[in-house]
Amino acid sequence: MATRARVRAPEPVGKGGWLNTGGKDLSLADFRGKILVLDFWTFCCINCLHVLDELRELEEKHRDTVVIVGVHSPKFVHEADHQAVVDAVARYEVHHPVLDDPELVTWKQYAVRAWPTLVVVDPEGYVVAQHAGEGHAHAIAKLVEELEAEHAAKGTLRRGDGPYVAPEAVAGDLKFPGKAVRLPDGHYLVADSGHHSLVELAEDGETVVRRIGDGERGFVDGTAPRFSEPQGLALAPEGLGYDVVVADTVNHALRAVRLSDGSVSTLAGTGKQWWQGSPTEGPATGVDLSSPWDVAFFDGRVWIAMAGVHQLWAYDPATETVAVAAGTTNEGLVDGPLAEAWFAQPSGLAVSADGERLWVADSETSAVRWVSRETRSVHTAVGTGLFDFGHRDGAAEQALLQHPLGVTVLPDGSVAIADTYNHALRRFDPATGEVSTLATDLREPSGAVLVDGDIVVVESARHRLTRLRLPEEAVRVAAVAHRTQRAATEVAPGALRLEVVFQAPSGQKLDERYGPSTRLLVSSTPPELLLSGAGADTDLSRELVLSGELTEGVLHVSAMAASCDDDPGIEYPACHVHQQDWGVPIRITESGVDRLPLVLAGLE
């Protein structure tokens, strides 16, 4: 094996303590002899959820030699709430120990800069690899095999069960429901995400009429279907041969349900996650999708909140094709023409009564956006960017939300907002430009439907539907504003050397057969922060020039590298894409650094 830097792993500590360990506190000594993979994640982050799924096969295959430990490192204030972390571990079926680190202590000790980041520690307690972003499971699997062989030969590998202890299951008809629709007969159809199924409830919103799906995670069509964490639902117009469209999130697919017999078919997606370079249009069942979170019929097509790539896509029932409708895959808050706008994990959709606007809950920017059918452009109603959030009412330009997941159009044309991490139902009135609070003390509301002048809210973390009267007056709450706890990087004004570190996995090399195999895209908020260096190129390092007129901002860095098997004897080498988006808060000071390294894969 190649020589690796001998860097001792810092002790993982977190004020929130340990989950999935049967109440035991763990230390590095408990992992000695095991290959330790630290997964720095936060449950708002769609890329982190992708990595959880990527690691499941590795976790199962190497259960006697590998211990995965999730280090929960919050972005939003709500994610620092210990019970919210407990809920997220159950919601996403995390089957390994998790350290709750609300103050980002371990994050800082390991010099992590992005969600998600994976750090590999060998059986002797030394850091041997770091990977930021998605697509690294194959590289880590290869490294694990090498570490197993190396430390078995040295006698430093310890086989056997790890420290994971499964928590007690909580019984109930619903488990972390996502969204709901009201059916023509007055019943509700609920995406029962935690049970990987759909549930039809009677008019009381409690009595189970039937379940579509057997509760097991899977991707199966027919009258015995399976889903994987379904979220969004939309009633279909007559004449399509099905009644409901489902955003089957973790299957990366759109599914169709016929209510007469409960049969399910696939409208779009292959079951595989979309990656940079994959087709962005074509026959729908031949194009990969990425974590579709909600769906809505708008302008003759099914619009899809494609949370996994920060875009809106659309499925055309007439041609059975799918294509990108808005967004660039860059994560942020930028308005303008559909093809130029930036989103950040869009997660909720609703159409205005006149069909002219598509409202969007853009969760990672804590924003509500809208698409104009007439001008084919994107606009922001509420929200300012990736790192500002809170609970503040009043004029929309200064109002704050916290990671909203749902929007619902009200009878007067205003929009109810499932303000998920504020545990509140909010309201934006386009006529006045004001934001108010309709209800509080909801537990992670993720969607809502209108019923006879009332509103039925999906309380995801309370595993139920809750019916509320729409109040004539808004609830008054104390205004709070937050910025992410993530510390800003202090940089000097003027020249800044940006370097993305990438080392191809063992046995692989950069794939240059069809041109450059790397891509680097740089921009900033505000745009005037960067005097030069913005834009796309193929070199993973770049000289930036920062304005001396500003004191702070955010650098947006997106890097991609493709590597393939380095063996001329392999006729069809396996190739893999590694990618990550960083939003790096910076503060400009004379004493700041003039070099910014970001690790995509390897060690700096």
Side-chain angles (χ1 to χ4, degrees), residues 199-476:
V199 175
E200 183 178 343
L201 300 178
E203 291 184 75
D204 61 7
E206 297 179 2
T207 304
V208 175
V209 176
R210 63 170 164 171
R211 184 175 293 275
I212 302 174
D214 63 5
E216 295 294 324
R217 187 190 297 269
F219 190 7
V220 180
D221 285 339
T223 55
R226 284 185 171 177
F227 302 88
S228 188
E229 298 181 33
Q231 289 286 342
L233 305 171
L235 293 178
E238 293 183 2
L240 293 180
Y242 48 85
D243 304 291
V244 179
V245 176
V246 182
D248 193 7
T249 304
V250 178
N251 277 330
H252 310 294
L254 289 195
R255 314 289 292 281
V257 179
R258 191 169 60 206
L259 294 173
S260 60
D261 60 0
S263 64
V264 173
S265 58
T266 297
L267 297 178
T270 64
K272 296 179 181 179
Q273 183 185 338
W274 184 92
W275 288 95
Q276 289 285 353
S278 300
T280 56
E281 61 181 346
T285 54
V287 176
D288 299 336
L289 308 183
S290 184
S291 297
W293 209 274
D294 202 6
V295 284
F297 279 84
F298 174 64
D299 195 25
R301 296 180 291 170
V302 180
W303 284 58
I304 309 163
M306 201 71 80
V309 287
H310 317 300
Q311 290 179 308
L312 304 180
W313 287 38
Y315 166 76
D316 188 338
T319 61
E320 298 183 346
T321 57
V322 69
V324 173
T328 64
T329 76
N330 297 320
E331 183 180 16
L333 193 153
V334 176
D335 290 339
L338 295 180
E340 300 173 14
W342 291 21
F343 295 91
Q345 216 167 297
S347 302
L349 302 174
V351 181
S352 61
D354 61 6
E356 290 298 314
R357 288 187 179 186
L358 177 69
W359 293 98
V360 183
D362 203 27
S363 62
E364 276 296 288
T365 51
S366 297
V368 171
R369 323 277 294 279
W370 54 278
V371 173
S372 167
R373 190 185 70 83
E374 180 181 4
T375 64
R376 318 303 291 175
S377 57
V378 177
H379 308 262
T380 297
V382 186
T384 59
L386 284 166
F387 299 107
D388 296 296
F389 54 92
H391 191 149
R392 186 164 63 198
D393 289 334
E397 58 266 20
Q398 59 84 54
L400 293 173
L401 311 170
Q402 187 178 178
H403 198 80
L405 289 180
V407 281
T408 305
V409 175
L410 299 178
D412 63 357
S414 64
V415 180
I417 306 161
D419 193 5
T420 309
Y421 287 2
N422 279 328
H423 307 300
L425 188 68
R426 311 285 293 283
R427 175 178 177 263
F428 168 68
D429 186 351
T432 64
E434 294 284 314
V435 175
S436 57
T437 298
L438 298 177
T440 58
D441 193 31
L442 301 168
R443 188 69 184 174
E444 293 190 12
S446 54
V449 293
L450 287 175
V451 180
D452 303 328
D454 294 343
I455 191 164
V456 175
V457 180
V458 181
E459 281 198 87
S460 189
R462 282 199 177 115
H463 318 292
R464 72 185 190 193
L465 304 188
T466 300
R467 186 162 179 159
L468 304 171
R469 292 283 183 185
L470 282 172
E472 293 183 5
E473 294 185 0
V475 176
R476 294 188 180 275

Side-chain angles (χ1 to χ4, degrees), residues 4-5 7 36-38 40 110 117-122 126-132 136 139-140 143-144 147 503 505 599-604:
R4 298 188 180 91
V7 178
L36 175 63
V37 180
L38 297 173
F40 289 86
Y110 280 82
T117 291
L118 298 169
V119 176
V120 181
V121 179
D122 73 13
Y126 290 93
V127 175
V128 292
Q130 181 171 327
H131 302 268
H136 302 295
I140 293 176
L143 177 58
V144 163
L147 290 171
Q503 298 164 7
V599 177
L600 178 60
L603 291 172
E604 189 201 352

Side-chain angles (χ1 to χ4, degrees), residues 475-531:
V475 176
R476 294 188 180 275
V477 298
V480 293
H482 302 288
R483 293 212 81 193
T484 177
Q485 291 189 56
R486 180 180 171 187
T489 299
E490 294 191 351
V491 300
L496 175 68
R497 184 68 177 174
L498 172 66
E499 296 181 357
V500 174
V501 178
F502 177 76
Q503 298 164 7
S506 176
Q508 295 201 335
K509 65 178 181 179
L510 288 174
D511 178 20
E512 306 283 357
R513 291 170 301 165
Y514 306 107
S517 61
T518 56
R519 177 177 178 268
L520 179 64
L521 176 67
V522 181
S523 61
S524 66
T525 301
E528 53 268 26
L529 176 67
L530 273 178
L531 297 181

Side-chain angles (χ1 to χ4, degrees), residues 138-157:
H138 69 285
I140 293 176
K142 178 68 173 177
L143 177 58
V144 163
E145 292 175 357
E146 294 178 350
L147 290 171
E148 285 177 340
E150 176 185 339
H151 288 275
K154 291 173 65 175
T156 51
L157 184 69

